[in-house]
Amino acid sequence: MTRDEQRTSSTVRLTVAQAVVRFLANQWSERDGHRQKLFAGCFGIFGHGNVAGLGQALLQNELADGDQHLPYVLARNEQAMVHTSVGYARQKDRLQTWACTASVGPGSTNMLTGAALATINRIPVLLLPSGTFATRVSAPVLQELEQPYAADVTVNDAFRPLSKFFDRVSRPEQLPSALLGAMRVLTDPAETGAVTIALPQDVQAEAFDWPVELFAPRTWRVARPLPEAVDIADAAELIRSAKRPLVVAGGGVHYSGAEDALRAFCDATGIPVGESQAGKGSLPHGHPQEMGAIGSTGTTAANALAAEADVVIGIGTRWSDFTTASRTAFQHSTVRFVNINVARFDAGKHSGLPVVADAREALTALTGALEGYAVDDAYRERQATLWARWDAAVESAFHPPTDVTDRLADGLLTQGQVLGAVNELSDPRDVVLCAAGSMPGDIHKLWRVRDRKAYHVEYGYSCMGYEVPASIGVRLADESRDVFAMVGDGGYLMMPTELVTAVQERVKVIVVLVQNHGFHSIGSLSESLGSQRFGTRYRFRGEGSGRLDGDVLPVDLAANARSLGAHVIEVHSVDELHQAIKEAKAWPADGGPVVIHVETDPRVYSPDSASWWDVPVSQVSDLETTRTAYGEYLDHKAAQRPLTMPTGVPSPPESAP
Ligand SMILES: Cc1ncc(C[n+]2csc(CCOP(=O)(O)OP(=O)(O)O)c2C)c(N)n1
Ligand SMILES: [Mg+2]
């Protein structure tokens, strides 16, 4: 063989876009001996930035024989396709995800919100925004941003602060390192989030001789870093000194699959568990140590225990303000933290003792190191009493007494009734999904989670419009479960578009559309802060007042959903709601989306969390309501704690001189 022949036999000539598709189709992830395709497929919307590059490559891939497919799915909105990917990846414990291709300019920047959401929630997605010409020969092209101060800036630079990895492939030679770097970050449990490779439109179509080994199947092992023995020993010592220890379980418990390890830890020690939004369901409903949601939208049980806790063990939590009730949840004068987290960044929060490790591995080691330790009987009794009190409050929210229901206008339900019906009539493995509005807080408080993957509230970015597209992702990830997307009228109006994608792909999602004609959540927040629900209701501008206080807008969201191809059921009573849920459950698995439209009375609130959330109130105001709210705000501020107590880890013996 001549040297030239050797060279040709070890390369393959493909465009950059064809190389991207072939590479992605050959990536796998592996954990605990289970191997799966890293990419289930590629969502996209084509325009001149990607139709001839990635579009051509995806077409060629779809038509090819063999098993190296990267299925293509046409979405309706680029933000939404990122949400769908996030929903999918979260349901898959971050072991699998999707790629997303968008055209230059608005198509690409539509993905920015999804990028931020993925990064904040630490969920892997691969974004492939298209860029304007690398050569700039025909600049400025349609949709190109021109900045007089910097000729190399494009709109895709906006992805940099939102991504955990960013690269722009301006020459084919750069592609291998961009792809390999992207895979490393996507499959790193501590680093993962949105990963962006910007692909200029001309580069996508450019041909190159690639080394064949670039396309060999690659398996990326998702690590389970082991804790250091000294960290476990220190953590155990601190916990043994505690009288009122408490676990705060975050999303890391789920992503690590640490639920059984947590249960074993609680069974052995009797330490109770409060859960963040991402960590909800870490212990199943009914477990004696399960205290449910914690923080601003927590249960009174978890929040009472948080206030007294002397040692708090955070597991896989990023300690958001909702989880800590804006740092008012923990009131013990010397409260100290142990933070088990795969990311050193999170493990160091609240001056905690960092145990940088996989949650499952760290919990198993800690349970061993705590052998013989358990909380006293009085603490167990306190857990049981607090929980029984809270559970009774949930019961009356789900089934309100007649003095509440008698006050409802005809055809209206309470939000608690809607949540109760869905919780009680869905199967234990069905998934409840939500993101923004008043429902995430109510679901966090009230929902009885009966399966580790049955709870999916996106509350890192709390993005209105996540609900419908993400529910498609959840269903694509696991067709053995029904998914109930709980969406308010405001959230629905942000992103109903993907109902069309669900129709196209025959994906069964059940959307429960809760119509209350505006922002119940921000309305009541506004009222509590003295802002009088200003601008939070969907109303005509009043003819006399000139303000948004006229009649309710004649908006028919049921008709809207029907027009997009969904099967719509309108309900006006609890009985009709029960029937609708049963009908939706019986709807064919490939029947596409079902929308249950229900009107609720936003004036009926769910049980109080006995908690707080820091939203600053105007310090000076012409309005009496604002001045009153500011006074109350200062009272709450007084309870805010810096959480900087040293962990008191014993210092090592002094070394010999
Ligand atoms: C994209 C986006 N814009 C604004 C907000 C701020 N916000 C949070 S809840 C909310 C209102 C939600 O209304 P709706 O979906 O009807 O739910 P409800 O509060 O009525 O339960 C708004 C505007 C947000 N979370 N996301
Ligand atoms: Mg609403």
Side-chain angles (χ1 to χ4, degrees):
M1 209 187 276
T2 66
R3 221 179 240 188
D4 272 356
E5 276 166 350
Q6 275 178 359
R7 200 171 295 137
T8 35
S9 69
S10 61
T11 62
V12 51
R13 193 161 176 80
L14 299 170
T15 67
V16 166
Q18 290 158 2
V20 167
V21 170
R22 188 175 292 192
F23 178 90
L24 296 182
N26 278 299
Q27 303 309 301
W28 299 72
S29 71
E30 183 266 332
R31 192 172 68 173
D32 302 335
H34 300 291
R35 185 170 170 264
Q36 51 273 310
K37 280 269 171 113
L38 181 54
F39 297 98
C42 181
F43 289 107
I45 294 180
F46 295 132
H48 64 281
N50 57 348
V51 68
L54 269 165
Q56 189 282 337
L58 287 160
L59 165 68
Q60 188 167 308
N61 179 271
E62 185 170 296
L63 297 178
D65 295 332
D67 55 2
Q68 293 179 16
H69 282 295
L70 187 71
Y72 175 71
V73 174
L74 164 61
R76 297 298 173 292
N77 176 302
E78 293 86 354
Q79 179 189 133
M81 68 196 189
V82 187
H83 294 333
T84 306
S85 306
V86 168
Y88 183 95
R90 177 164 164 177
Q91 196 66 22
K92 291 283 192 181
D93 290 330
R94 312 194 298 192
L95 299 170
Q96 288 181 275
T97 186
W98 287 69
C100 297
T101 169
S103 190
V104 289
S108 288
T109 53
N110 262 359
M111 296 199 294
L112 290 168
T113 298
L117 183 146
T119 291
I120 287 168
N121 286 287
R122 287 94 198 265
I123 301 289
V125 290
L126 177 63
L127 308 181
L128 304 171
S130 299
T132 43
F133 281 75
T135 59
R136 303 193 199 137
V137 286
S138 31
V141 297
L142 177 68
Q143 301 169 326
E144 179 163 349
L145 174 79
E146 291 180 277
Q147 283 291 12
Y149 69 86
D152 65 343
V153 164
T154 83
V155 293
N156 289 337
D157 287 301
F159 282 95
R160 290 176 190 270
L162 307 178
S163 303
K164 299 303 290 261
F165 177 89
F166 177 92
D167 204 355
R168 175 181 289 126
V169 176
S170 305
R171 295 184 56 84
E173 292 89 333
Q174 297 166 343
L175 184 67
S177 64
L179 289 172
L180 294 168
M183 299 309 112
R184 168 178 56 78
V185 175
L186 285 169
T187 55
D188 181 332
E191 281 299 305
T192 199
V195 163
T196 303
I197 301 178
L199 296 166
Q201 57 186 125
D202 50 348
V203 178
Q204 286 180 42
E206 208 171 324
F208 189 74
D209 295 311
W210 310 95
V212 285
E213 63 271 20
L214 180 62
F215 308 108
R218 279 165 216 268
T219 302
W220 301 83
R221 180 162 296 143
V222 178
R224 289 193 179 278
L226 298 177
E228 298 225 8
V230 285
D231 292 337
I232 290 294
D234 285 351
E237 192 179 330
L238 191 56
I239 295 166
R240 280 178 190 278
S241 75
K243 295 266 173 298
R244 293 286 179 267
L246 171 72
V247 163
V248 175
V253 173
H254 288 311
Y255 304 138
S256 152
E259 297 89 353
D260 289 347
L262 177 63
R263 183 198 276 243
F265 175 87
C266 296
D267 289 345
T269 62
I271 300 179
V273 175
E275 296 161 336
S276 75
Q277 282 280 15
K280 174 109 168 158
S282 291
L283 282 182
H285 174 75
H287 188 282
Q289 270 66 57
E290 162 70 350
M291 298 292 115
I294 197 164
S296 306
T297 53
T299 69
T300 49
N303 284 341
L305 297 178
E308 303 160 6
D310 49 2
V311 171
V312 179
I313 307 146
I315 308 172
T317 173
R318 50 190 285 269
W319 290 119
S320 84
D321 64 347
F322 263 79
T323 305
T324 67
S326 303
R327 302 197 182 199
T328 61
F330 307 106
Q331 289 296 330
H332 190 284
S333 60
T334 62
V335 62
R336 288 170 297 171
F337 290 81
V338 173
N339 293 321
I340 297 172
N341 208 297
V342 74
R344 192 167 290 277
F345 171 65
D346 292 311
K349 291 177 177 174
H350 298 169
S351 188
L353 193 160
V355 180
V356 181
D358 173 75
R360 190 187 78 183
E361 299 303 318
L363 269 167
T364 305
L366 196 55
T367 307
L370 283 170
E371 210 187 316
Y373 167 85
V375 302
D376 61 24
D377 287 347
Y379 194 38
R380 287 178 196 268
E381 270 166 41
R382 179 137 174 79
Q383 295 171 36
T385 311
L386 287 168
W387 182 255
R389 203 176 297 155
W390 175 257
D391 212 36
V394 174
E395 208 50 37
S396 73
F398 282 179
H399 306 283
T402 41
D403 63 309
V404 173
T405 49
D406 284 350
R407 280 186 279 129
L408 297 172
D410 227 21
L412 297 193
L413 279 70
T414 71
Q415 191 155 286
Q417 285 178 309
V418 175
L419 298 181
V422 179
N423 200 176
E424 288 171 0
L425 294 178
S426 56
D427 290 338
R429 291 183 73 260
D430 290 347
V431 182
V432 66
L433 187 145
C434 194
S438 59
M439 278 192 286
D442 288 1
I443 296 174
H444 192 213
K445 283 181 206 178
L446 304 174
W447 205 262
R448 292 164 173 164
V449 187
R450 299 157 290 173
D451 177 89
R452 64 176 290 268
K453 297 306 295 181
Y455 188 89
H456 187 130
V457 175
E458 186 282 294
Y459 218 61
Y461 212 38
S462 185
C463 184
M464 290 166 80
Y466 177 80
E467 303 88 348
V468 174
S471 69
I472 296 173
V474 168
R475 176 73 178 178
L476 288 174
D478 188 350
E479 292 194 354
S480 72
R481 301 169 190 261
D482 275 319
V483 51
F484 288 83
M486 313 299 297
V487 60
D489 51 322
Y492 177 85
L493 281 168
M494 287 258 178
M495 197 73 74
T497 51
E498 299 315 298
L499 286 175
V500 180
T501 306
V503 171
Q504 160 192 294
E505 300 297 322
R506 301 180 205 284
V507 176
K508 179 186 175 188
V509 295
I510 303 168
V511 177
V512 180
L513 202 179
V514 176
Q515 169 64 282
N516 56 21
H517 303 282
F519 306 159
H520 172 27
S521 51
I522 304 300
S524 55
L525 179 67
S526 166
E527 187 165 306
S528 73
L529 303 177
S531 293
Q532 306 175 13
R533 295 187 178 257
F534 175 61
T536 62
R537 283 179 292 206
Y538 290 163
R539 297 283 189 279
F540 276 112
R541 191 166 293 284
E543 280 178 20
S545 67
R547 306 185 63 209
L548 293 179
D549 59 3
D551 288 341
V552 169
L553 298 176
V555 175
D556 186 347
L557 296 182
N560 175 277
R562 209 172 279 121
S563 78
L564 298 177
H567 175 66
V568 179
I569 313 167
E570 293 179 69
V571 305
H572 308 94
S573 68
V574 173
D575 284 348
E576 284 179 18
L577 177 60
H578 289 186
Q579 279 314 313
I581 295 167
K582 287 178 193 156
E583 186 183 332
K585 285 287 302 167
W587 188 249
D590 59 354
V594 180
V595 174
I596 299 174
H597 181 280
V598 55
E599 286 216 34
T600 59
D601 186 334
R603 293 166 309 170
V604 182
Y605 291 90
S606 64
D608 189 52
S609 283
S611 190
W612 182 64
W613 183 38
D614 190 347
V615 180
V617 179
S618 299
Q619 297 186 349
V620 294
S621 168
D622 295 341
L623 309 175
E624 179 60 35
T625 51
T626 311
R627 288 196 295 272
T628 308
Y630 185 59
E632 287 163 14
Y633 179 72
L634 291 180
D635 292 342
H636 284 294
K637 280 300 261 191
Q640 213 161 31
R641 305 279 311 280
L643 304 179
T644 48
M645 186 63 70
T647 48
V649 176
S651 13
E654 271 179 33
S655 50

